[in-house]
Amino acid sequence: MRNIPVNLAGYRLRVVEPPTMKMRKDDAGREVVVTDREGATKFVVSLFAKVKGEKGEEIRVTLDTDPGEGLEEGDLVELVDARVNPYSFKNDRGETVSGIAFSAAGLKPLDG
């Protein structure tokens, strides 16, 4: 199952690390920009997600589009078309690593 929609309406999402281009290491160990199948650049942002009265959690979200300039640490934001993708793979030590990855079509600022 891929791209499972997520309703984060009850959460306050605050920028922890401003959006940047998503990077990965290629087979030669060089940093390269992550793109989708059509060649569009992916972006990544770290957010603190919290429901009032409960503990929060930092999440890292891959964005399908450039969120634009002006988003800074501490800004309240909303994810556009938020979703999760489960993953599972064997690492180079033979251990199985599983979890979920957050993604969204975009990110928009909220007023305080």
Side-chain angles (χ1 to χ4, degrees), residues 11 48-56:
Y11 288 81
F48 190 74
K50 184 176 183 331
V51 173
K52 188 173 183 164
E54 294 183 20
K55 273 188 149 181

Side-chain angles (χ1 to χ4, degrees), residues 1-19:
M1 189 180 263
R2 306 228 1 107
N3 293 320
I4 303 166
V6 178
N7 181 354
L8 296 172
Y11 288 81
R12 289 177 60 91
L13 303 174
R14 193 170 298 275
V15 175
V16 176
E17 291 179 26

Side-chain angles (χ1 to χ4, degrees), residues 50-77:
K50 184 176 183 331
V51 173
K52 188 173 183 164
E54 294 183 20
K55 273 188 149 181
E57 185 78 29
E58 186 172 329
I59 60 173
R60 193 164 169 87
V61 182
T62 298
L63 304 171
D64 297 339
T65 58
D66 183 351
E69 298 290 321
L71 291 168
E72 299 179 12
E73 184 177 339
D75 288 350
L76 288 173
V77 294

Side-chain angles (χ1 to χ4, degrees), residues 18-88:
T20 59
M21 280 192 282
K22 188 170 184 174
M23 306 294 283
R24 68 170 178 81
K25 290 197 186 285
D26 67 9
D27 293 336
R30 295 179 302 246
E31 291 277 318
V32 294
V33 175
V34 175
T35 61
D36 65 13
R37 292 185 176 147
E38 286 80 41
T41 301
K42 297 283 190 167
F43 290 79
V44 67
V45 63
S46 290
L47 303 174
F48 190 74
K50 184 176 183 331
V51 173
K52 188 173 183 164
E54 294 183 20
K55 273 188 149 181
E57 185 78 29
E58 186 172 329
I59 60 173
R60 193 164 169 87
V61 182
T62 298
L63 304 171
D64 297 339
T65 58
D66 183 351
E69 298 290 321
L71 291 168
E72 299 179 12
E73 184 177 339
D75 288 350
L76 288 173
V77 294
E78 179 181 336
L79 292 173
V80 177
D81 187 24
R83 53 202 186 271
V84 294
N85 287 293
Y87 64 84
S88 183

Side-chain angles (χ1 to χ4, degrees), residues 84-109:
V84 294
N85 287 293
Y87 64 84
S88 183
F89 64 90
K90 289 208 185 282
N91 65 16
D92 53 359
R93 293 186 301 259
E95 303 164 327
T96 300
V97 178
S98 301
I100 59 170
F102 287 89
S103 61
L107 184 70
K108 66 181 189 178

